[in-house]
Amino acid sequence: MKSTLEVLGTTGIETIRVPMRDGVALAATLYRPAAGGGHPVILVRTPYSEPMSRSLPVLPALAEGFAVLVQNCRGTAGSEGELHAFENEGADGLDTLAWILEQPWCDGRIAMFGPSYLGMSQLAVSGHAPAGLRAIVPIVATNDYRDGLVFRQGALQLGQGLGWHLLKAAQTLGDRRARGEDVGAHAAAFGAVAANPDAAYRTLPLTALTGVSDLVPSWTTWLEQENEPAYWERISYADRRSGTAVPGLHVGGWFDLFLGGTLDNFVEISTRATDESVRRGQHLIIGPWTHADQTGAAGEMFFGSGAAAAIGLEAQQLRFLRESVEGLDSSLPPVQLFVMGANVWRQENEWPLARTDWQRWYLHPDAGLGTAAPHEDAAPRTYRHDPHDPVPTIGGATLIGGGLDGGAEYMPGSRDQRRLDGREDILRFSSDPLEEDVEVTGPVTVTLHASTSAADTDFTAKLIDVWPDGRAMAVTDGIVRARYRGGMDEPQPVVPGEVARYEIDLVATSQLFRRGHRIRVDVASSNFPCYDRNSGSGKPAGSVQAEDLAPADQAVFLDRDRPSYITLPVIPSN
């Protein structure tokens, strides 16, 4: 019986090594059609120490006439050197592209493809406009490593950061064992952390997690470099994206932690690339998906079989790659969005949508939410934040496994927030039952005028769809660290008791709030372990000690001169 590769008429699999400018050789696997001569090449660069052909459309790409090169990043799965997350992907990617162009099996046309880290490795090179590159397909990829991957509006993305490092630590142990190294001591230290992630989340200082950082040093590096913009600027591609000179297909999910990055990558290149054809060549697809699940099930919601099947994502990706390497304008729509609640796909021409009605819905002292402006003398609402007892993560755009008492609450997607009922450290503001459907599609922000008794604090906000039966299903959420309210490069000390303005980025959504439902906004000061606990001390996340944790008294102001509100991108029904 012939193998699948033989049925497709391929020559099989070839293991090769690709030289880098500093003498390091990176391991790669080449899949190519049997027909002689050169072929367009799809390059996939991965740090995940495994045959990525299991999760990438290698066989369909071969059937389309592409050769596929899957390369292991520096320090992983047989590649020489040491992995320092993201630090070498620009140079190594450019060296690999230049090397491919010299190979007889390449016809001079190269595309790049892949999700998450694999998508970021594409953006690390595309802004340099390298020779031979014809297209990129970055899937669920962030726009910036510092404030987008490691931090979010200054708060450490603890759950996903530790989870990723645990994954890479386990793979690093496997790589070292494969090389014949004695990893006993490292394995024991790693096992102690991996066996009890909940205890690891509460470990202080976070740099004490040596079972992780000894295997993957970026854990400590990222914590130590929180206030060092020069480090992040050196490895970042954010300011180079406008130099991209090829079409791009940007794919994301409404419950993906890198949704903001996916949207920003699309907007940045489609509005700022030098060449008009490149701007026109950017395409966007956002579904009701999480970071790693595109089935249409997200948390406690299932958005229907059409959430995956109707879009034909793999076929669209291959069509985009084929058209791009052939120099054709893609036949894909500029923007394809899944509208949750209506549970339909819709084609659009831009992001955000030009017809958006930007509406302010104000938070009121009676716990109401609506478009009526607040009274001049409206009273503030107060609560106490205690980092010893933080508000637990209940779904959202996370990348965490597990939950409370062995549950699944931390895991991504829309989850019922009634699990948090009874907590006194959450302020809830709810609309009356809607008299008609309200579609919210676009970027969402919450503006708070607030004060704290601490030297620093966090403010969180969550947009929730409250069903007539009482279910409170989370739609999107965000967080801001008070001292970084002006950005991480411009920390602003917090004056205890002084009222300040905070903009909380809830990123974006496309949600139809049905007639009879209520729109709700929850405000708190923690979302743990999605984000680290703010101690109130003002110290960087990596240096906080247990004795630094102290309660903070919070006040949210709701009067005419100091209003607090959510800005909703409402789409007119006609």
Side-chain angles (χ1 to χ4, degrees), residues 315-480:
Q316 288 207 45
Q317 291 167 342
L318 287 170
R319 189 199 330 168
F320 173 81
L321 289 168
R322 169 54 63 190
E323 291 170 339
S324 297
V325 299
E326 291 179 357
L328 303 174
D329 288 341
S330 176
S331 58
L332 300 185
V335 175
Q336 299 173 75
L337 306 175
F338 187 90
V339 184
M340 299 179 292
N343 291 355
V344 296
W345 283 97
R346 195 168 66 208
Q347 298 180 5
E348 299 288 350
N349 293 317
E350 72 284 308
W351 178 269
L353 310 190
R355 64 186 183 279
T356 302
D357 177 14
W358 301 96
Q359 297 183 4
R360 285 186 180 181
W361 289 50
Y362 293 93
L363 317 184
H364 291 291
D366 63 355
L369 176 71
T371 56
H375 296 297
E376 183 175 353
D377 58 351
R381 292 188 63 190
T382 62
Y383 63 97
R384 169 163 279 207
H385 158 64
D386 185 354
H388 297 96
D389 180 26
V391 177
T393 297
I394 307 292
T398 72
L399 187 56
I400 317 176
L404 303 170
D405 302 321
E409 288 88 348
Y410 302 160
M411 297 178 70
S414 181
R415 296 187 181 276
D416 194 339
Q417 301 300 297
R418 287 181 294 182
R419 179 69 172 78
L420 302 177
D421 285 357
R423 292 192 66 103
E424 296 182 353
D425 52 357
I426 303 173
L427 303 181
R428 298 172 176 87
F429 303 87
S430 183
S431 74
D432 292 332
L434 298 174
E435 296 181 356
E436 58 184 20
D437 292 351
V438 175
E439 182 189 328
V440 173
T441 295
V444 181
T445 60
V446 166
T447 302
L448 297 181
H449 284 88
S451 67
T452 179
S453 63
D456 190 37
T457 195
D458 293 343
F459 288 104
T460 69
K462 190 175 294 182
L463 176 62
I464 297 168
D465 180 6
V466 181
W467 291 51
D469 63 6
R471 280 178 290 169
M473 306 307 297
V475 176
T476 188
D477 62 76
I479 189 170
V480 63

Side-chain angles (χ1 to χ4, degrees), residues 252-312:
W254 295 125
F255 300 102
D256 173 42
L257 75 165
F258 299 144
L259 171 63
T262 297
L263 295 169
D264 189 61
N265 291 331
F266 169 76
V267 171
E268 175 74 6
I269 302 173
S270 64
T271 59
R272 295 192 58 199
T274 302
D275 190 281
E276 191 276 334
S277 66
V278 174
R279 297 194 297 272
R280 189 179 65 247
Q282 305 306 307
H283 299 264
L284 177 69
I285 300 175
I286 307 292
W289 305 322
T290 68
H291 189 72
D293 189 330
Q294 295 174 337
T295 64
E300 298 168 39
M301 295 293 292
F302 177 58
F303 296 98
S305 58
I311 196 69

